[in-house]
Amino acid sequence: MSGQSPFRPVVEQSATELRLDDRDAPVHSVRKHAVAFAVCLALGFIFTLPGSLSLNSGLLGNPGDNFQHAWFLWHFARAVLHGQNPFYTHLMFYPTRVNLSWSTTDPLAGILAF
């Protein structure tokens, strides 16, 4: 056996070569991440067609719960902006109120929707 340790490289690099490689590493890393992000963004756009073409007027998914969730987001924002309790509404079963705390309201999403 030769006197070299199996953990040491066979060819040693000089200090200037190491510094050049270290400077190029962040650029290559950022470039790889940017390419991966662009690919994911393009695939997300393609897989959500035709909803991704009309974000202001369309909801993704089959009709049903997505409309209810959109209404809950709208109502939560409206109620908070008007100083009302977002967990009660007069907009359903008028003139009595509806307790929305038993429904699938999402206050965190409503706050983020502002």
Side-chain angles (χ1 to χ4, degrees), residues 2-111:
S2 67
Q4 292 184 352
S5 169
F7 299 109
R8 288 189 178 176
V10 176
V11 178
E12 302 226 358
Q13 294 178 339
S14 68
T16 56
E17 290 174 350
L18 287 176
R19 276 187 268 145
L20 289 176
D21 290 342
D22 289 344
R23 274 188 264 150
D24 291 340
V27 174
H28 292 302
S29 177
V30 170
R31 195 173 295 145
K32 286 180 186 178
H33 285 86
V35 168
F37 179 74
V39 167
C40 290
L41 192 65
L43 288 174
F45 181 81
I46 290 168
F47 287 134
T48 57
L49 283 173
S52 57
L53 294 176
S54 57
L55 295 176
N56 291 335
S57 62
L59 292 174
L60 298 177
N62 294 327
D65 288 344
N66 54 354
F67 291 110
Q68 181 184 14
H69 186 68
W71 187 86
F72 282 140
L73 288 176
W74 169 81
H75 171 71
F76 189 89
R78 181 186 169 278
V80 169
L81 289 176
H82 287 91
Q84 300 170 348
N85 187 347
F87 298 106
Y88 288 96
T89 184
H90 291 285
L91 299 175
M92 293 188 286
F93 302 121
Y94 184 80
T96 61
R97 296 189 326 176
V98 174
N99 182 355
L100 296 177
S101 59
W102 294 102
S103 301
T104 56
T105 56
D106 192 356
L108 179 61
I111 290 169

